[in-house]
PDB file of all heavy atoms in Angstrom:
ATOM      1  N   GLN V   1     -33.521  39.783 -12.093  1.00 71.00           N
ATOM      2  CA  GLN V   1     -34.277  40.840 -11.424  1.00 71.00           C
ATOM      3  C   GLN V   1     -34.702  41.918 -12.414  1.00 71.00           C
ATOM      4  O   GLN V   1     -34.042  42.157 -13.430  1.00 71.00           O
ATOM      5  CB  GLN V   1     -33.432  41.480 -10.325  1.00 71.00           C
ATOM      6  CG  GLN V   1     -33.175  40.573  -9.153  1.00 71.00           C
ATOM      7  CD  GLN V   1     -32.271  41.223  -8.116  1.00 71.00           C
ATOM      8  OE1 GLN V   1     -31.680  42.267  -8.349  1.00 71.00           O
ATOM      9  NE2 GLN V   1     -32.165  40.586  -6.972  1.00 71.00           N
ATOM     10  N   LEU V   2     -35.794  42.580 -12.094  1.00 69.00           N
ATOM     11  CA  LEU V   2     -36.250  43.694 -12.897  1.00 69.00           C
ATOM     12  C   LEU V   2     -35.308  44.873 -12.723  1.00 69.00           C
ATOM     13  O   LEU V   2     -34.813  45.129 -11.624  1.00 69.00           O
ATOM     14  CB  LEU V   2     -37.657  44.128 -12.479  1.00 69.00           C
ATOM     15  CG  LEU V   2     -38.801  43.254 -12.946  1.00 69.00           C
ATOM     16  CD1 LEU V   2     -40.100  43.731 -12.319  1.00 69.00           C
ATOM     17  CD2 LEU V   2     -38.906  43.268 -14.458  1.00 69.00           C
ATOM     18  N   ARG V   3     -35.078  45.605 -13.801  1.00 74.00           N
ATOM     19  CA  ARG V   3     -34.239  46.795 -13.734  1.00 74.00           C
ATOM     20  C   ARG V   3     -35.060  47.977 -13.248  1.00 74.00           C
ATOM     21  O   ARG V   3     -36.203  48.151 -13.651  1.00 74.00           O
ATOM     22  CB  ARG V   3     -33.689  47.129 -15.113  1.00 74.00           C
ATOM     23  CG  ARG V   3     -32.583  46.225 -15.540  1.00 74.00           C
ATOM     24  CD  ARG V   3     -32.223  46.428 -16.993  1.00 74.00           C
ATOM     25  NE  ARG V   3     -31.767  47.761 -17.308  1.00 74.00           N
ATOM     26  CZ  ARG V   3     -31.561  48.177 -18.549  1.00 74.00           C
ATOM     27  NH1 ARG V   3     -31.769  47.379 -19.565  1.00 74.00           N
ATOM     28  NH2 ARG V   3     -31.150  49.406 -18.781  1.00 74.00           N
ATOM     29  N   LYS V   4     -34.447  48.761 -12.388  1.00 75.00           N
ATOM     30  CA  LYS V   4     -35.087  49.987 -11.934  1.00 75.00           C
ATOM     31  C   LYS V   4     -34.175  51.137 -12.320  1.00 75.00           C
ATOM     32  O   LYS V   4     -33.018  51.179 -11.910  1.00 75.00           O
ATOM     33  CB  LYS V   4     -35.309  49.957 -10.421  1.00 75.00           C
ATOM     34  CG  LYS V   4     -36.308  48.904 -10.004  1.00 75.00           C
ATOM     35  CD  LYS V   4     -36.481  48.840  -8.511  1.00 75.00           C
ATOM     36  CE  LYS V   4     -37.412  47.680  -8.156  1.00 75.00           C
ATOM     37  NZ  LYS V   4     -37.483  47.427  -6.749  1.00 75.00           N
ATOM     38  N   GLU V   5     -34.699  52.044 -13.137  1.00 75.00           N
ATOM     39  CA  GLU V   5     -33.909  53.163 -13.620  1.00 75.00           C
ATOM     40  C   GLU V   5     -34.725  54.450 -13.547  1.00 75.00           C
ATOM     41  O   GLU V   5     -35.946  54.415 -13.573  1.00 75.00           O
ATOM     42  CB  GLU V   5     -33.503  52.943 -15.089  1.00 75.00           C
ATOM     43  CG  GLU V   5     -32.663  51.727 -15.321  1.00 75.00           C
ATOM     44  CD  GLU V   5     -32.423  51.481 -16.799  1.00 75.00           C
ATOM     45  OE1 GLU V   5     -33.342  51.652 -17.602  1.00 75.00           O
ATOM     46  OE2 GLU V   5     -31.297  51.112 -17.118  1.00 75.00           O
ATOM     47  N   ALA V   6     -34.003  55.543 -13.539  1.00 74.00           N
ATOM     48  CA  ALA V   6     -34.665  56.840 -13.595  1.00 74.00           C
ATOM     49  C   ALA V   6     -35.238  57.039 -14.993  1.00 74.00           C
ATOM     50  O   ALA V   6     -34.748  56.461 -15.967  1.00 74.00           O
ATOM     51  CB  ALA V   6     -33.662  57.944 -13.271  1.00 74.00           C
ATOM     52  N   ASP V   7     -36.274  57.846 -15.096  1.00 69.00           N
ATOM     53  CA  ASP V   7     -36.937  58.066 -16.380  1.00 69.00           C
ATOM     54  C   ASP V   7     -36.195  59.038 -17.292  1.00 69.00           C
ATOM     55  O   ASP V   7     -36.551  59.178 -18.455  1.00 69.00           O
ATOM     56  CB  ASP V   7     -38.356  58.601 -16.158  1.00 69.00           C
ATOM     57  CG  ASP V   7     -39.269  57.533 -15.587  1.00 69.00           C
ATOM     58  OD1 ASP V   7     -38.994  56.339 -15.791  1.00 69.00           O
ATOM     59  OD2 ASP V   7     -40.261  57.916 -14.939  1.00 69.00           O
ATOM     60  N   ASP V   8     -35.180  59.720 -16.773  1.00 75.00           N
ATOM     61  CA  ASP V   8     -34.513  60.751 -17.567  1.00 75.00           C
ATOM     62  C   ASP V   8     -33.165  60.307 -18.134  1.00 75.00           C
ATOM     63  O   ASP V   8     -32.346  61.119 -18.521  1.00 75.00           O
ATOM     64  CB  ASP V   8     -34.343  62.020 -16.732  1.00 75.00           C
ATOM     65  CG  ASP V   8     -33.512  61.788 -15.479  1.00 75.00           C
ATOM     66  OD1 ASP V   8     -33.239  60.625 -15.136  1.00 75.00           O
ATOM     67  OD2 ASP V   8     -33.143  62.791 -14.837  1.00 75.00           O
ATOM     68  N   LEU V   9     -32.930  59.002 -18.217  1.00 86.00           N
ATOM     69  CA  LEU V   9     -31.671  58.488 -18.746  1.00 86.00           C
ATOM     70  C   LEU V   9     -31.756  58.339 -20.259  1.00 86.00           C
ATOM     71  O   LEU V   9     -32.793  58.005 -20.804  1.00 86.00           O
ATOM     72  CB  LEU V   9     -31.360  57.126 -18.114  1.00 86.00           C
ATOM     73  CG  LEU V   9     -31.242  57.111 -16.586  1.00 86.00           C
ATOM     74  CD1 LEU V   9     -31.061  55.690 -16.090  1.00 86.00           C
ATOM     75  CD2 LEU V   9     -30.099  57.988 -16.133  1.00 86.00           C
ATOM     76  N   GLY V  10     -30.618  58.564 -20.925  1.00 88.00           N
ATOM     77  CA  GLY V  10     -30.583  58.461 -22.379  1.00 88.00           C
ATOM     78  C   GLY V  10     -30.191  57.072 -22.853  1.00 88.00           C
ATOM     79  O   GLY V  10     -29.911  56.160 -22.057  1.00 88.00           O
ATOM     80  N   PRO V  11     -30.130  56.882 -24.180  1.00 91.00           N
ATOM     81  CA  PRO V  11     -29.837  55.567 -24.751  1.00 91.00           C
ATOM     82  C   PRO V  11     -28.414  55.054 -24.479  1.00 91.00           C
ATOM     83  O   PRO V  11     -28.178  53.852 -24.519  1.00 91.00           O
ATOM     84  CB  PRO V  11     -30.078  55.758 -26.247  1.00 91.00           C
ATOM     85  CG  PRO V  11     -30.101  57.216 -26.475  1.00 91.00           C
ATOM     86  CD  PRO V  11     -30.457  57.863 -25.191  1.00 91.00           C
ATOM     87  N   ARG V  12     -27.477  55.941 -24.184  1.00 92.00           N
ATOM     88  CA  ARG V  12     -26.114  55.483 -23.845  1.00 92.00           C
ATOM     89  C   ARG V  12     -26.124  54.618 -22.587  1.00 92.00           C
ATOM     90  O   ARG V  12     -25.323  53.708 -22.443  1.00 92.00           O
ATOM     91  CB  ARG V  12     -25.178  56.665 -23.650  1.00 92.00           C
ATOM     92  CG  ARG V  12     -24.726  57.281 -24.925  1.00 92.00           C
ATOM     93  CD  ARG V  12     -23.698  58.352 -24.697  1.00 92.00           C
ATOM     94  NE  ARG V  12     -23.345  58.943 -25.975  1.00 92.00           N
ATOM     95  CZ  ARG V  12     -22.910  60.173 -26.116  1.00 92.00           C
ATOM     96  NH1 ARG V  12     -22.760  60.951 -25.060  1.00 92.00           N
ATOM     97  NH2 ARG V  12     -22.607  60.647 -27.307  1.00 92.00           N
ATOM     98  N   VAL V  13     -27.029  54.925 -21.679  1.00 92.00           N
ATOM     99  CA  VAL V  13     -27.139  54.164 -20.436  1.00 92.00           C
ATOM    100  C   VAL V  13     -27.502  52.710 -20.745  1.00 92.00           C
ATOM    101  O   VAL V  13     -27.012  51.785 -20.104  1.00 92.00           O
ATOM    102  CB  VAL V  13     -28.184  54.809 -19.493  1.00 92.00           C
ATOM    103  CG1 VAL V  13     -28.482  53.940 -18.298  1.00 92.00           C
ATOM    104  CG2 VAL V  13     -27.701  56.174 -19.052  1.00 92.00           C
ATOM    105  N   GLU V  14     -28.347  52.515 -21.742  1.00 91.00           N
ATOM    106  CA  GLU V  14     -28.749  51.166 -22.144  1.00 91.00           C
ATOM    107  C   GLU V  14     -27.532  50.384 -22.660  1.00 91.00           C
ATOM    108  O   GLU V  14     -27.315  49.232 -22.286  1.00 91.00           O
ATOM    109  CB  GLU V  14     -29.843  51.239 -23.208  1.00 91.00           C
ATOM    110  CG  GLU V  14     -30.447  49.927 -23.567  1.00 91.00           C
ATOM    111  CD  GLU V  14     -31.365  49.344 -22.502  1.00 91.00           C
ATOM    112  OE1 GLU V  14     -31.613  49.992 -21.466  1.00 91.00           O
ATOM    113  OE2 GLU V  14     -31.841  48.221 -22.716  1.00 91.00           O
ATOM    114  N   LEU V  15     -26.740  51.017 -23.499  1.00 93.00           N
ATOM    115  CA  LEU V  15     -25.536  50.368 -24.022  1.00 93.00           C
ATOM    116  C   LEU V  15     -24.561  50.064 -22.891  1.00 93.00           C
ATOM    117  O   LEU V  15     -24.016  48.961 -22.813  1.00 93.00           O
ATOM    118  CB  LEU V  15     -24.874  51.242 -25.086  1.00 93.00           C
ATOM    119  CG  LEU V  15     -23.557  50.733 -25.669  1.00 93.00           C
ATOM    120  CD1 LEU V  15     -23.727  49.357 -26.312  1.00 93.00           C
ATOM    121  CD2 LEU V  15     -22.997  51.733 -26.668  1.00 93.00           C
ATOM    122  N   ASP V  16     -24.362  51.013 -21.986  1.00 94.00           N
ATOM    123  CA  ASP V  16     -23.457  50.791 -20.849  1.00 94.00           C
ATOM    124  C   ASP V  16     -23.925  49.634 -19.975  1.00 94.00           C
ATOM    125  O   ASP V  16     -23.118  48.827 -19.510  1.00 94.00           O
ATOM    126  CB  ASP V  16     -23.328  52.060 -19.995  1.00 94.00           C
ATOM    127  CG  ASP V  16     -22.563  53.160 -20.716  1.00 94.00           C
ATOM    128  OD1 ASP V  16     -21.844  52.856 -21.686  1.00 94.00           O
ATOM    129  OD2 ASP V  16     -22.695  54.324 -20.310  1.00 94.00           O
ATOM    130  N   TYR V  17     -25.225  49.541 -19.751  1.00 92.00           N
ATOM    131  CA  TYR V  17     -25.787  48.457 -18.950  1.00 92.00           C
ATOM    132  C   TYR V  17     -25.445  47.100 -19.560  1.00 92.00           C
ATOM    133  O   TYR V  17     -24.988  46.191 -18.872  1.00 92.00           O
ATOM    134  CB  TYR V  17     -27.314  48.636 -18.844  1.00 92.00           C
ATOM    135  CG  TYR V  17     -28.020  47.441 -18.245  1.00 92.00           C
ATOM    136  CD1 TYR V  17     -28.065  47.245 -16.869  1.00 92.00           C
ATOM    137  CD2 TYR V  17     -28.630  46.498 -19.064  1.00 92.00           C
ATOM    138  CE1 TYR V  17     -28.710  46.148 -16.320  1.00 92.00           C
ATOM    139  CE2 TYR V  17     -29.280  45.399 -18.524  1.00 92.00           C
ATOM    140  CZ  TYR V  17     -29.311  45.226 -17.156  1.00 92.00           C
ATOM    141  OH  TYR V  17     -29.938  44.126 -16.623  1.00 92.00           O
ATOM    142  N   TRP V  18     -25.664  46.967 -20.870  1.00 94.00           N
ATOM    143  CA  TRP V  18     -25.414  45.680 -21.525  1.00 94.00           C
ATOM    144  C   TRP V  18     -23.920  45.389 -21.659  1.00 94.00           C
ATOM    145  O   TRP V  18     -23.506  44.227 -21.629  1.00 94.00           O
ATOM    146  CB  TRP V  18     -26.131  45.618 -22.877  1.00 94.00           C
ATOM    147  CG  TRP V  18     -27.602  45.435 -22.675  1.00 94.00           C
ATOM    148  CD1 TRP V  18     -28.582  46.370 -22.822  1.00 94.00           C
ATOM    149  CD2 TRP V  18     -28.259  44.247 -22.234  1.00 94.00           C
ATOM    150  NE1 TRP V  18     -29.807  45.836 -22.501  1.00 94.00           N
ATOM    151  CE2 TRP V  18     -29.640  44.535 -22.150  1.00 94.00           C
ATOM    152  CE3 TRP V  18     -27.823  42.965 -21.903  1.00 94.00           C
ATOM    153  CZ2 TRP V  18     -30.577  43.582 -21.743  1.00 94.00           C
ATOM    154  CZ3 TRP V  18     -28.764  42.018 -21.510  1.00 94.00           C
ATOM    155  CH2 TRP V  18     -30.108  42.324 -21.439  1.00 94.00           C
ATOM    156  N   LYS V  19     -23.096  46.427 -21.781  1.00 95.00           N
ATOM    157  CA  LYS V  19     -21.649  46.207 -21.821  1.00 95.00           C
ATOM    158  C   LYS V  19     -21.150  45.662 -20.483  1.00 95.00           C
ATOM    159  O   LYS V  19     -20.314  44.752 -20.445  1.00 95.00           O
ATOM    160  CB  LYS V  19     -20.919  47.505 -22.178  1.00 95.00           C
ATOM    161  CG  LYS V  19     -21.003  47.827 -23.650  1.00 95.00           C
ATOM    162  CD  LYS V  19     -20.456  49.162 -24.088  1.00 95.00           C
ATOM    163  CE  LYS V  19     -19.404  49.828 -23.321  1.00 95.00           C
ATOM    164  NZ  LYS V  19     -18.989  51.135 -23.852  1.00 95.00           N
ATOM    165  N   LYS V  20     -21.663  46.198 -19.387  1.00 94.00           N
ATOM    166  CA  LYS V  20     -21.281  45.696 -18.064  1.00 94.00           C
ATOM    167  C   LYS V  20     -21.742  44.259 -17.882  1.00 94.00           C
ATOM    168  O   LYS V  20     -21.018  43.417 -17.343  1.00 94.00           O
ATOM    169  CB  LYS V  20     -21.873  46.581 -16.958  1.00 94.00           C
ATOM    170  CG  LYS V  20     -21.195  47.919 -16.826  1.00 94.00           C
ATOM    171  CD  LYS V  20     -21.882  48.786 -15.789  1.00 94.00           C
ATOM    172  CE  LYS V  20     -21.314  50.184 -15.830  1.00 94.00           C
ATOM    173  NZ  LYS V  20     -22.082  51.126 -15.034  1.00 94.00           N
ATOM    174  N   LYS V  21     -22.949  43.974 -18.327  1.00 94.00           N
ATOM    175  CA  LYS V  21     -23.479  42.619 -18.236  1.00 94.00           C
ATOM    176  C   LYS V  21     -22.637  41.656 -19.068  1.00 94.00           C
ATOM    177  O   LYS V  21     -22.325  40.547 -18.632  1.00 94.00           O
ATOM    178  CB  LYS V  21     -24.923  42.624 -18.741  1.00 94.00           C
ATOM    179  CG  LYS V  21     -25.826  41.702 -18.013  1.00 94.00           C
ATOM    180  CD  LYS V  21     -27.260  41.944 -18.451  1.00 94.00           C
ATOM    181  CE  LYS V  21     -28.138  41.225 -17.505  1.00 94.00           C
ATOM    182  NZ  LYS V  21     -29.532  41.308 -17.811  1.00 94.00           N
ATOM    183  N   LEU V  22     -22.275  42.072 -20.265  1.00 95.00           N
ATOM    184  CA  LEU V  22     -21.437  41.247 -21.138  1.00 95.00           C
ATOM    185  C   LEU V  22     -20.096  40.961 -20.478  1.00 95.00           C
ATOM    186  O   LEU V  22     -19.617  39.823 -20.501  1.00 95.00           O
ATOM    187  CB  LEU V  22     -21.239  41.939 -22.487  1.00 95.00           C
ATOM    188  CG  LEU V  22     -20.341  41.215 -23.491  1.00 95.00           C
ATOM    189  CD1 LEU V  22     -20.898  39.838 -23.833  1.00 95.00           C
ATOM    190  CD2 LEU V  22     -20.166  42.065 -24.748  1.00 95.00           C
ATOM    191  N   SER V  23     -19.525  41.954 -19.857  1.00 95.00           N
ATOM    192  CA  SER V  23     -18.244  41.779 -19.174  1.00 95.00           C
ATOM    193  C   SER V  23     -18.354  40.742 -18.054  1.00 95.00           C
ATOM    194  O   SER V  23     -17.500  39.858 -17.924  1.00 95.00           O
ATOM    195  CB  SER V  23     -17.787  43.124 -18.610  1.00 95.00           C
ATOM    196  OG  SER V  23     -16.601  42.981 -17.890  1.00 95.00           O
ATOM    197  N   LYS V  24     -19.405  40.829 -17.258  1.00 93.00           N
ATOM    198  CA  LYS V  24     -19.608  39.868 -16.167  1.00 93.00           C
ATOM    199  C   LYS V  24     -19.735  38.441 -16.693  1.00 93.00           C
ATOM    200  O   LYS V  24     -19.120  37.514 -16.178  1.00 93.00           O
ATOM    201  CB  LYS V  24     -20.881  40.198 -15.371  1.00 93.00           C
ATOM    202  CG  LYS V  24     -20.756  41.318 -14.413  1.00 93.00           C
ATOM    203  CD  LYS V  24     -22.083  41.516 -13.699  1.00 93.00           C
ATOM    204  CE  LYS V  24     -22.060  42.739 -12.822  1.00 93.00           C
ATOM    205  NZ  LYS V  24     -23.340  42.960 -12.137  1.00 93.00           N
ATOM    206  N   PHE V  25     -20.563  38.283 -17.718  1.00 93.00           N
ATOM    207  CA  PHE V  25     -20.813  36.934 -18.216  1.00 93.00           C
ATOM    208  C   PHE V  25     -19.637  36.380 -19.013  1.00 93.00           C
ATOM    209  O   PHE V  25     -19.404  35.172 -19.000  1.00 93.00           O
ATOM    210  CB  PHE V  25     -22.130  36.874 -18.993  1.00 93.00           C
ATOM    211  CG  PHE V  25     -23.316  36.838 -18.076  1.00 93.00           C
ATOM    212  CD1 PHE V  25     -24.107  37.954 -17.896  1.00 93.00           C
ATOM    213  CD2 PHE V  25     -23.611  35.697 -17.353  1.00 93.00           C
ATOM    214  CE1 PHE V  25     -25.194  37.926 -17.025  1.00 93.00           C
ATOM    215  CE2 PHE V  25     -24.692  35.655 -16.469  1.00 93.00           C
ATOM    216  CZ  PHE V  25     -25.477  36.776 -16.313  1.00 93.00           C
ATOM    217  N   CYS V  26     -18.885  37.236 -19.680  1.00 93.00           N
ATOM    218  CA  CYS V  26     -17.667  36.755 -20.359  1.00 93.00           C
ATOM    219  C   CYS V  26     -16.651  36.267 -19.328  1.00 93.00           C
ATOM    220  O   CYS V  26     -15.992  35.248 -19.532  1.00 93.00           O
ATOM    221  CB  CYS V  26     -17.069  37.852 -21.232  1.00 93.00           C
ATOM    222  SG  CYS V  26     -17.935  38.062 -22.794  1.00 93.00           S
ATOM    223  N   TYR V  27     -16.549  36.987 -18.214  1.00 93.00           N
ATOM    224  CA  TYR V  27     -15.654  36.551 -17.140  1.00 93.00           C
ATOM    225  C   TYR V  27     -16.103  35.184 -16.606  1.00 93.00           C
ATOM    226  O   TYR V  27     -15.285  34.287 -16.395  1.00 93.00           O
ATOM    227  CB  TYR V  27     -15.619  37.585 -16.022  1.00 93.00           C
ATOM    228  CG  TYR V  27     -14.783  37.156 -14.851  1.00 93.00           C
ATOM    229  CD1 TYR V  27     -13.400  37.182 -14.929  1.00 93.00           C
ATOM    230  CD2 TYR V  27     -15.369  36.699 -13.677  1.00 93.00           C
ATOM    231  CE1 TYR V  27     -12.619  36.771 -13.855  1.00 93.00           C
ATOM    232  CE2 TYR V  27     -14.603  36.280 -12.610  1.00 93.00           C
ATOM    233  CZ  TYR V  27     -13.230  36.328 -12.702  1.00 93.00           C
ATOM    234  OH  TYR V  27     -12.464  35.907 -11.649  1.00 93.00           O
ATOM    235  N   LEU V  28     -17.394  35.037 -16.379  1.00 92.00           N
ATOM    236  CA  LEU V  28     -17.917  33.743 -15.909  1.00 92.00           C
ATOM    237  C   LEU V  28     -17.636  32.633 -16.916  1.00 92.00           C
ATOM    238  O   LEU V  28     -17.259  31.524 -16.534  1.00 92.00           O
ATOM    239  CB  LEU V  28     -19.423  33.831 -15.678  1.00 92.00           C
ATOM    240  CG  LEU V  28     -19.892  34.303 -14.325  1.00 92.00           C
ATOM    241  CD1 LEU V  28     -21.411  34.396 -14.295  1.00 92.00           C
ATOM    242  CD2 LEU V  28     -19.414  33.413 -13.219  1.00 92.00           C
ATOM    243  N   MET V  29     -17.818  32.926 -18.198  1.00 92.00           N
ATOM    244  CA  MET V  29     -17.563  31.920 -19.227  1.00 92.00           C
ATOM    245  C   MET V  29     -16.090  31.499 -19.228  1.00 92.00           C
ATOM    246  O   MET V  29     -15.780  30.322 -19.392  1.00 92.00           O
ATOM    247  CB  MET V  29     -17.956  32.453 -20.610  1.00 92.00           C
ATOM    248  CG  MET V  29     -19.425  32.764 -20.774  1.00 92.00           C
ATOM    249  SD  MET V  29     -20.484  31.323 -20.824  1.00 92.00           S
ATOM    250  CE  MET V  29     -20.043  30.676 -22.407  1.00 92.00           C
ATOM    251  N   GLU V  30     -15.197  32.472 -19.029  1.00 93.00           N
ATOM    252  CA  GLU V  30     -13.764  32.147 -18.930  1.00 93.00           C
ATOM    253  C   GLU V  30     -13.505  31.224 -17.746  1.00 93.00           C
ATOM    254  O   GLU V  30     -12.740  30.269 -17.842  1.00 93.00           O
ATOM    255  CB  GLU V  30     -12.931  33.424 -18.763  1.00 93.00           C
ATOM    256  CG  GLU V  30     -12.701  34.189 -20.025  1.00 93.00           C
ATOM    257  CD  GLU V  30     -11.906  35.452 -19.761  1.00 93.00           C
ATOM    258  OE1 GLU V  30     -11.005  35.441 -18.882  1.00 93.00           O
ATOM    259  OE2 GLU V  30     -12.172  36.468 -20.431  1.00 93.00           O
ATOM    260  N   GLN V  31     -14.134  31.525 -16.629  1.00 91.00           N
ATOM    261  CA  GLN V  31     -13.951  30.699 -15.433  1.00 91.00           C
ATOM    262  C   GLN V  31     -14.464  29.280 -15.657  1.00 91.00           C
ATOM    263  O   GLN V  31     -13.862  28.313 -15.192  1.00 91.00           O
ATOM    264  CB  GLN V  31     -14.661  31.334 -14.229  1.00 91.00           C
ATOM    265  CG  GLN V  31     -14.097  32.670 -13.813  1.00 91.00           C
ATOM    266  CD  GLN V  31     -12.620  32.604 -13.497  1.00 91.00           C
ATOM    267  OE1 GLN V  31     -12.183  31.772 -12.735  1.00 91.00           O
ATOM    268  NE2 GLN V  31     -11.845  33.470 -14.134  1.00 91.00           N
ATOM    269  N   LEU V  32     -15.559  29.147 -16.368  1.00 90.00           N
ATOM    270  CA  LEU V  32     -16.130  27.828 -16.632  1.00 90.00           C
ATOM    271  C   LEU V  32     -15.209  26.966 -17.495  1.00 90.00           C
ATOM    272  O   LEU V  32     -15.283  25.745 -17.451  1.00 90.00           O
ATOM    273  CB  LEU V  32     -17.495  27.958 -17.314  1.00 90.00           C
ATOM    274  CG  LEU V  32     -18.613  28.528 -16.458  1.00 90.00           C
ATOM    275  CD1 LEU V  32     -19.866  28.729 -17.298  1.00 90.00           C
ATOM    276  CD2 LEU V  32     -18.913  27.632 -15.273  1.00 90.00           C
ATOM    277  N   LYS V  33     -14.349  27.618 -18.261  1.00 91.00           N
ATOM    278  CA  LYS V  33     -13.422  26.888 -19.135  1.00 91.00           C
ATOM    279  C   LYS V  33     -12.068  26.637 -18.480  1.00 91.00           C
ATOM    280  O   LYS V  33     -11.186  26.049 -19.094  1.00 91.00           O
ATOM    281  CB  LYS V  33     -13.232  27.667 -20.438  1.00 91.00           C
ATOM    282  CG  LYS V  33     -14.495  27.766 -21.263  1.00 91.00           C
ATOM    283  CD  LYS V  33     -14.298  28.642 -22.478  1.00 91.00           C
ATOM    284  CE  LYS V  33     -15.611  28.834 -23.232  1.00 91.00           C
ATOM    285  NZ  LYS V  33     -15.514  29.810 -24.291  1.00 91.00           N
ATOM    286  N   SER V  34     -11.917  27.075 -17.244  1.00 93.00           N
ATOM    287  CA  SER V  34     -10.621  26.946 -16.572  1.00 93.00           C
ATOM    288  C   SER V  34     -10.307  25.478 -16.251  1.00 93.00           C
ATOM    289  O   SER V  34     -11.215  24.651 -16.089  1.00 93.00           O
ATOM    290  CB  SER V  34     -10.596  27.776 -15.283  1.00 93.00           C
ATOM    291  OG  SER V  34     -11.395  27.156 -14.299  1.00 93.00           O
ATOM    292  N   PRO V  35      -9.022  25.140 -16.138  1.00 93.00           N
ATOM    293  CA  PRO V  35      -8.626  23.759 -15.811  1.00 93.00           C
ATOM    294  C   PRO V  35      -9.202  23.275 -14.476  1.00 93.00           C
ATOM    295  O   PRO V  35      -9.561  22.096 -14.353  1.00 93.00           O
ATOM    296  CB  PRO V  35      -7.105  23.817 -15.759  1.00 93.00           C
ATOM    297  CG  PRO V  35      -6.730  25.015 -16.557  1.00 93.00           C
ATOM    298  CD  PRO V  35      -7.871  25.979 -16.421  1.00 93.00           C
ATOM    299  N   ASP V  36      -9.293  24.162 -13.503  1.00 93.00           N
ATOM    300  CA  ASP V  36      -9.837  23.769 -12.191  1.00 93.00           C
ATOM    301  C   ASP V  36     -11.296  23.330 -12.308  1.00 93.00           C
ATOM    302  O   ASP V  36     -11.699  22.319 -11.732  1.00 93.00           O
ATOM    303  CB  ASP V  36      -9.733  24.929 -11.190  1.00 93.00           C
ATOM    304  CG  ASP V  36      -8.296  25.234 -10.793  1.00 93.00           C
ATOM    305  OD1 ASP V  36      -7.417  24.371 -11.008  1.00 93.00           O
ATOM    306  OD2 ASP V  36      -8.067  26.338 -10.263  1.00 93.00           O
ATOM    307  N   VAL V  37     -12.083  24.093 -13.049  1.00 90.00           N
ATOM    308  CA  VAL V  37     -13.493  23.748 -13.215  1.00 90.00           C
ATOM    309  C   VAL V  37     -13.625  22.451 -14.007  1.00 90.00           C
ATOM    310  O   VAL V  37     -14.436  21.586 -13.664  1.00 90.00           O
ATOM    311  CB  VAL V  37     -14.271  24.905 -13.891  1.00 90.00           C
ATOM    312  CG1 VAL V  37     -15.674  24.476 -14.269  1.00 90.00           C
ATOM    313  CG2 VAL V  37     -14.321  26.121 -12.977  1.00 90.00           C
ATOM    314  N   LYS V  38     -12.812  22.301 -15.033  1.00 90.00           N
ATOM    315  CA  LYS V  38     -12.855  21.066 -15.819  1.00 90.00           C
ATOM    316  C   LYS V  38     -12.490  19.851 -14.969  1.00 90.00           C
ATOM    317  O   LYS V  38     -13.077  18.779 -15.112  1.00 90.00           O
ATOM    318  CB  LYS V  38     -11.940  21.179 -17.029  1.00 90.00           C
ATOM    319  CG  LYS V  38     -12.510  22.084 -18.104  1.00 90.00           C
ATOM    320  CD  LYS V  38     -11.634  22.137 -19.326  1.00 90.00           C
ATOM    321  CE  LYS V  38     -12.279  23.043 -20.359  1.00 90.00           C
ATOM    322  NZ  LYS V  38     -11.540  23.095 -21.604  1.00 90.00           N
ATOM    323  N   ALA V  39     -11.540  20.039 -14.046  1.00 92.00           N
ATOM    324  CA  ALA V  39     -11.149  18.937 -13.158  1.00 92.00           C
ATOM    325  C   ALA V  39     -12.304  18.560 -12.226  1.00 92.00           C
ATOM    326  O   ALA V  39     -12.588  17.375 -12.026  1.00 92.00           O
ATOM    327  CB  ALA V  39      -9.915  19.334 -12.350  1.00 92.00           C
ATOM    328  N   VAL V  40     -12.959  19.560 -11.677  1.00 90.00           N
ATOM    329  CA  VAL V  40     -14.098  19.300 -10.790  1.00 90.00           C
ATOM    330  C   VAL V  40     -15.207  18.590 -11.560  1.00 90.00           C
ATOM    331  O   VAL V  40     -15.814  17.631 -11.068  1.00 90.00           O
ATOM    332  CB  VAL V  40     -14.612  20.611 -10.153  1.00 90.00           C
ATOM    333  CG1 VAL V  40     -15.943  20.400  -9.448  1.00 90.00           C
ATOM    334  CG2 VAL V  40     -13.582  21.180  -9.189  1.00 90.00           C
TER     335      VAL V  40
END
């Protein structure tokens, strides 16, 4: 999805956005490597 943000946000917001995204996808990657997923 397209990001919708206010125009008055600074560059720290950009870093925070990508850190949250990284956290989500790292969690998903961990789940994909789990024994249950490998069994399925």
Side-chain angles (χ1 to χ4, degrees):
Q1 291 177 349
L2 284 174
R3 285 170 61 188
K4 294 178 185 172
E5 299 174 320
D7 289 335
D8 60 349
L9 301 175
R12 283 186 182 153
V13 171
E14 187 73 4
L15 177 59
D16 290 341
Y17 170 81
W18 286 105
K19 283 173 26 181
K20 287 176 189 170
K21 216 171 192 182
L22 178 60
S23 177
K24 282 180 186 179
F25 282 105
C26 282
Y27 176 75
L28 273 177
M29 297 290 289
E30 281 178 36
Q31 296 303 309
L32 291 174
K33 295 175 185 172
S34 73
D36 291 342
V37 171
K38 286 183 179 183
V40 169

